[in-house]
Amino acid sequence: MKDTGQVIIPKRAETQAKMDERSAVANRVCPDAAYTIADRWQERVDKHGNHPFLLYGDQSHSYRDVDCRANQVARAALAMGLTAGDVCAMALENRPDFYHVWFGLVKVGVVIAFLNTQVSGNALKHAISASGARAVIVGEECAHHFSAAEGLQGLQLWLLPDEEKPANSTDLECLDEAFYQAINTASAEPVDAQLRASITAESPAILIYTSGTTGLPKAAIYSHMRWLSSGDVMEVSIKADQRDVFYCFLPLYHGAAATSVTSTALSAGATIVLRRKFSVRRFWDDVCDYQITVCQYIGEICRYLLNFYDNAPMHSLRCIVGAGLNEHTWQQWITKFGQMDIYEGWGATEANTNLLNMDNYPGSCGRIPDWSKTNLRLVRFDLERNEYLRDEQGYLIPCEAGEIGEALGYIISSPDMGGGRFEGYTSAEATEQKILRNVFQQGDSFWRSGDLLKFDDNGYFYFVDRLGDTFRWKSENVSTQEVAIALGDAEGIELINVYGVQVPGHEGRAGMAAIVMQKGCGFDPEAFYTLTAKKLPDYAAPQFLRLCQSADLTSTFKLRKIDLQKQGYDPELCQEPIYIRDSRAKSYLPYDELLLQALGLSAIEADA
């Protein structure tokens, strides 16, 4: 790879040693090795059979307990006609059955697509179609999404009951109970590993969905090799071992919980405390009751906990791992809850590069002391023109310290190593859209992150923002185009322009929509709320509305958003009516400071 000239004098000599160790571990699993997640799982069962793998409420499931149920799932999958290489989707909330199904299917070489349990309608249909799934295992808690979905006729939908969240009989009519019955009657003895003999480390293992600029979910491919390597690298980074207890309350269909938590815990032979969803009231109780030592976070969770608690009890938490923690919140966390290691990182589900702060340097998401030992590059980007800056030869220009640029990952194509590969999506078109070619020289190729970062004189990196129309709210990527399409058929609306606006004290951006009504039509806030609740998950529904007299269009009839985003929902900057989404009133209410304070606009819905 061409040397782009980005040179930094290391501030801490040990950082490069840590990076070298991580790099060596990342390439421990060879691409063509007959070694999969199922093989790693079996090794841990053989070594830690009686050790707790899952703690769920008052239940304790050992490695061997989970393995026995997974064996039954594997046999049931075979009985239902699934074989190595097939894709099976699953829609399950955080409960032990998620792992039973996951590890059972990998035992027979089946690729698993993790469906977002909040997605419904056309987005759900598209997600299933994009995966190429032969069947979908549907948790009873998600039955209503499938009952209401159109265009799923002919697809095998297998029910997995849920005693905690039973569905009504109407929602269950479209689901087949044969798979669940096959599980309960199957033997718990291990299946023959030869059933997955055709599967190698570089074969696809799971599909995790990520929002794209098209507005519909894209299925990112995760190979066995990349999943295993991520866990091995994190185990070394945080010095995890069998004594650790990981706290998992983020949804398992997300990359953070499915990879960072699960792969690291499995690599270390550790225990996972599984919670259905985040509970602010139970957080420190859970930490103390289960003696949790490692917690995966997103920045909003940390801020939510800081606002809720004055201090923490004596606890066992030794480190937290995640993204979205700025320097101010970082310092508050340590001051209020005590000293612990914070591993702030940067990356993406489909990323072929990443960063991890291993120095406890507040606010940073990682450090690069030597550019020759990383495939990450930061290039200049013109935000106003929405294009890359180029030199006289037409190549992209590397950023210098202090400059904001887009992060790119050099794509390494080597049959002997997995590091630096871009595994892409199930859609070849979507994969190609994320690749930049001839970046620094003819013939090179880079993965485009869509993220803006910067670094200081000591090589510490900081996340700045997302490029384009996709923004993050409540830890989810939201596509403005998807929201606009979903709400575009609202009665009386002539035009809707969706964008993200900054909310003080919150990570990411909240959705806001500028609406132009048809002549002679009035805005109905209750009807619009009902439409958002019907068409969109909570996190994607616009939190603010602005009723405009006319649309701000370019000469090519493209919607302008820059000025709207700068004005946000500030009534002093917006000389037009502003509304706030209130789920209690099931309506959009006129802007009011007291209403804004009462709602809090929390990015994490807590089980209080």
Side-chain angles (χ1 to χ4, degrees):
M1 182 168 55
K2 181 180 178 181
D3 184 356
T4 62
Q6 291 171 313
V7 179
I8 295 174
I9 300 174
K11 181 180 180 181
R12 300 190 179 188
E14 69 269 21
T15 301
Q16 188 57 57
K18 292 177 183 177
M19 289 180 63
D20 290 343
E21 183 180 14
R22 281 163 49 87
S23 179
V25 171
N27 292 300
R28 185 182 294 166
V29 180
C30 298
D32 61 353
Y35 188 74
T36 68
I37 295 174
D39 297 299
R40 169 64 59 79
W41 169 254
Q42 193 59 54
E43 289 175 355
R44 296 303 180 264
V45 172
D46 293 341
K47 185 176 181 180
H48 307 293
N50 294 324
H51 189 69
F53 175 65
L54 288 180
L55 300 178
Y56 181 73
D58 58 1
Q59 303 172 23
S60 178
H61 303 262
S62 69
Y63 275 76
R64 186 165 289 109
D65 293 335
V66 174
D67 187 56
C68 287
R69 190 62 170 174
N71 288 334
Q72 289 182 293
V73 170
R75 292 181 180 278
L78 292 171
M80 299 296 287
L82 293 179
T83 59
D86 286 342
V87 178
C88 181
M90 58 184 283
L92 293 173
E93 292 183 354
N94 286 17
R95 53 186 175 109
D97 278 331
F98 193 105
Y99 286 108
H100 299 153
V101 171
W102 179 3
F103 294 152
L105 293 179
V106 296
K107 282 174 175 281
V108 293
V110 171
V111 181
I112 309 101
F114 294 160
L115 298 177
N116 186 325
T117 57
Q118 299 185 57
V119 167
S120 59
N122 188 51
L124 176 61
K125 176 186 174 183
H126 175 82
I128 296 172
S129 176
S131 72
R134 287 190 51 192
V136 184
I137 298 170
V138 182
E140 187 172 356
E141 67 273 29
C142 301
H144 57 290
H145 291 322
F146 289 82
S147 175
E150 298 178 357
L152 300 183
Q153 294 80 5
L155 184 66
Q156 298 183 74
L157 303 176
W158 298 334
L159 172 68
L160 203 63
D162 181 9
E163 294 181 355
E164 296 177 72
K165 292 187 176 181
N168 63 53
S169 56
T170 301
D171 287 340
L172 294 175
E173 288 178 356
C174 67
L175 305 179
D176 188 349
E177 296 186 26
F179 178 67
Y180 183 63
Q181 293 170 351
I183 294 174
N184 289 334
T185 57
S187 167
E189 291 299 310
V191 296
D192 189 347
Q194 285 301 308
L195 291 167
R196 58 178 184 272
S198 61
I199 307 300
T200 63
E202 62 184 343
S203 300
I206 57 179
L207 304 178
I208 298 179
Y209 292 85
T210 179
S211 297
T213 54
T214 62
L216 291 171
K218 294 184 293 186
I221 299 170
Y222 238 96
S223 67
H224 292 270
M225 172 181 60
R226 189 155 72 98
W227 190 88
L228 292 167
S229 297
S230 67
D232 291 344
V233 168
M234 190 60 70
E235 178 198 358
V236 170
S237 300
I238 70 172
K239 300 179 178 62
D241 61 31
Q242 184 186 358
R243 296 167 294 180
D244 277 309
V245 179
F246 288 71
Y247 196 17
C248 180
F249 47 73
L250 297 176
L252 280 165
Y253 60 74
H254 261 193
T259 56
S260 293
V261 172
T262 305
S263 62
T264 308
L266 187 58
S267 181
T271 300
I272 297 173
V273 173
L274 188 62
R275 176 168 275 281
R276 199 91 175 205
K277 66 175 182 177
F278 172 66
S279 170
V280 63
R281 292 186 182 277
R282 285 292 311 172
F283 181 85
W284 288 114
D285 288 340
D286 281 353
V287 169
C288 294
D289 291 347
Y290 294 108
Q291 289 296 288
I292 290 166
T293 59
V294 182
C295 176
Q296 179 86 27
Y297 70 85
I298 56 174
E300 291 296 343
I301 286 174
C302 296
R303 278 178 283 280
Y304 203 84
L305 291 167
L306 284 168
N307 291 335
F308 193 85
Y309 290 96
D310 292 328
N311 51 55
M314 293 293 294
H315 61 81
S316 52
L317 202 58
R318 70 174 183 85
C319 73
I320 58 176
V321 183
L325 201 58
N326 60 41
E327 182 177 0
H328 177 68
T329 306
W330 184 312
Q331 299 287 13
Q332 283 185 309
W333 180 272
I334 295 299
T335 299
K336 183 173 284 191
F337 300 144
Q339 186 64 45
M340 66 185 73
D341 289 331
I342 297 179
Y343 294 92
E344 170 80 5
W346 169 84
T349 300
E350 72 275 36
N352 72 332
T353 188
N354 59 67
L355 289 166
L356 184 66
N357 182 347
M358 296 178 287
D359 297 338
N360 274 298
Y361 196 86
S364 171
C365 59
R367 180 169 177 263
I368 297 179
D370 185 345
W371 286 95
S372 69
K373 295 187 177 182
T374 179
N375 68 325
L376 177 67
R377 290 293 182 267
L378 205 63
V379 296
R380 295 178 180 175
F381 192 91
D382 188 324
L383 292 174
E384 291 295 324
R385 295 176 178 272
N386 196 37
E387 62 185 23
Y388 296 101
L389 295 176
R390 298 179 181 273
D391 62 20
E392 60 276 6
Q393 294 178 297
Y395 296 126
L396 271 56
I397 304 172
C399 290
E400 297 181 0
E403 293 182 330
I404 295 174
E406 183 184 1
L408 307 179
Y410 176 63
I411 298 174
I412 301 172
S413 299
S414 170
D416 303 319
M417 60 182 288
R421 290 191 179 194
F422 175 47
E423 297 181 334
Y425 310 95
T426 55
S427 165
E429 180 182 0
T431 299
E432 185 61 31
Q433 289 175 351
K434 293 289 285 187
I435 298 176
L436 287 174
R437 303 186 187 281
N438 305 321
V439 175
F440 296 120
Q441 60 186 18
Q442 288 297 307
D444 66 9
S445 57
F446 282 74
W447 165 73
R448 180 181 182 182
S449 72
D451 284 345
L452 296 172
L453 278 68
K454 65 180 179 180
F455 60 89
D456 62 24
D457 290 331
N458 293 312
Y460 285 98
F461 276 71
Y462 305 86
F463 176 79
V464 177
D465 209 344
R466 285 284 296 169
L467 273 174
D469 291 340
T470 299
F471 59 90
R472 287 185 71 79
W473 183 246
K474 293 188 177 182
S475 80
E476 297 279 356
N477 283 337
V478 181
S479 166
T480 57
Q481 184 175 344
E482 179 180 1
V483 176
I485 291 173
L487 303 179
D489 59 353
E491 186 175 350
I493 289 183
E494 179 177 312
L495 183 145
I496 181 168
N497 187 4
V498 181
Y499 48 97
V501 295
Q502 291 184 328
V503 180
H506 291 271
E507 188 70 15
R509 296 176 184 267
M512 187 166 183
I515 295 174
V516 178
M517 301 299 297
Q518 296 173 5
K519 189 175 182 178
C521 293
F523 176 65
D524 186 339
E526 291 185 8
F528 192 81
Y529 178 94
T530 300
L531 183 65
T532 64
K534 178 181 178 181
K535 292 291 191 72
L536 297 167
D538 258 5
Y539 64 79
Q543 300 297 310
F544 303 97
L545 298 180
R546 175 176 178 171
L547 296 187
C548 303
Q549 293 297 314
S550 61
D552 187 7
L553 302 172
T554 68
S555 59
T556 55
F557 298 97
K558 293 182 180 180
L559 294 168
R560 296 183 191 275
K561 301 187 180 184
I562 293 177
D563 289 340
L564 292 172
Q565 287 178 318
K566 288 179 179 178
Q567 294 167 6
Y569 54 94
D570 187 339
E572 294 185 4
L573 299 177
C574 304
Q575 302 304 313
E576 296 170 317
I578 301 173
Y579 289 79
I580 304 172
R581 191 172 195 264
D582 188 346
S583 58
R584 303 168 304 177
K586 297 189 182 304
S587 182
Y588 281 83
L589 304 181
Y591 181 94
D592 181 86
E593 283 287 347
L594 293 178
L595 173 62
L596 202 62
Q597 294 174 18
L599 291 175
L601 292 172
S602 172
I604 297 297
E605 289 188 1
D607 177 14

